[in-house]
Amino acid sequence: FRRVLFRSGVEVNHWVLALRHTIFAKDAEHAYRIMFKSSNESLSLFERLVFDGHLWECAELLAGLQAIAAGLQKAQCILARAQILNDLELPRRAMADVQNATELLLAEGETGWLPLQSLLAQSYGLQGVIHIATGRATDALPFFNQAVSLFEALILKTKNYQSDLAKTLANRGLAKWACGDWDGAAEDYQRTQALVCTSDQEGRCIDTLIANE
């Protein structure tokens, strides 16, 4: 990927400690920025913890942040933790989290609002991924269909979500293949390839591509 890992282990520990202090102080806005803020040059603390394999610590920090956050920030924390739990092969807990996040997002009301629409697309895509990981490809398809529709709508407003749509199409293609829909899977993979070749933006949502399947 394009961003470099410029933080040393000491720097990561510094930011983890800073995050714990802000969570203890119930400063949700500051804690959220520490966990998720990134730039074109560096990974966010969340991304670095995942990259380094500190999944349990990351899940613990997200739980603390979720407890003091509200609105879309709370939903993003829950979705991020659901991804971690799925990576830890805890699909039931992951699904409970992602369903909780979806309920929070739908309760926000205006689903056409771009940040909300993006998180909903992530949520549906992650539910699909969890279903595939537990051998329920048929159950995964409706969630991937919803995620694809939302990302397609987002692309009409901004091209930043091309790679996110590509990931979701790749996962839907995997589900279709598992269900015996060879033609549908081939079509999704062709669309994925076209998007990957033309996209010049990095996706902004949680990486839910099952790359090892």
Side-chain angles (χ1 to χ4, degrees), residues 6-67:
F6 74 93
R7 290 193 183 108
S8 69
V10 173
E11 288 175 301
V12 171
N13 289 338
H14 165 79
W15 286 110
V16 167
L17 183 60
L19 179 58
R20 291 187 184 279
H21 280 233
T22 53
I23 290 174
F24 181 77
K26 296 186 175 4
D27 186 351
E29 192 67 34
H30 189 195
Y32 179 85
R33 289 197 301 270
I34 291 174
M35 178 60 98
F36 291 109
K37 185 178 179 180
S38 63
S39 69
N40 290 331
E41 293 78 30
S42 66
L43 299 178
S44 67
L45 178 60
F46 169 75
E47 292 168 322
R48 179 60 192 263
L49 288 170
V50 172
F51 183 87
D52 289 344
H54 301 308
L55 301 184
W56 282 113
E57 182 177 25
C58 190
E60 175 208 345
L61 291 168
L62 287 166
L65 181 50
Q66 171 203 337

Side-chain angles (χ1 to χ4, degrees), residues 147-163:
V148 166
S149 295
L150 286 169
F151 279 130
E152 287 174 337
L154 282 165
I155 284 177
L156 296 177
K157 303 172 185 177
T158 170
K159 299 300 183 182
N160 291 344
Y161 296 93
Q162 284 187 333
S163 61

Side-chain angles (χ1 to χ4, degrees), residues 66-139:
Q66 171 203 337
I68 63 172
L72 297 189
Q73 291 183 352
K74 186 182 189 76
Q76 184 172 353
C77 291
I78 298 172
L79 284 175
R81 189 177 64 185
Q83 177 198 356
I84 297 298
L85 293 173
N86 190 54
D87 290 344
L88 289 168
E89 299 184 355
L90 296 170
R92 290 186 181 179
R93 290 178 59 184
M95 184 61 79
D97 264 4
V98 76
Q99 289 174 342
N100 184 14
T102 303
E103 290 175 4
L104 288 173
L105 291 167
L106 292 175
E108 288 288 321
E110 182 49 64
T111 57
W113 184 33
L114 191 147
L116 177 57
Q117 196 172 2
S118 172
L119 286 173
L120 271 176
Q122 295 175 39
S123 178
Y124 292 136
L126 185 51
Q127 288 185 72
V129 166
I130 295 170
H131 279 307
I132 288 181
T134 52
R136 299 193 300 271
T138 302
D139 294 334

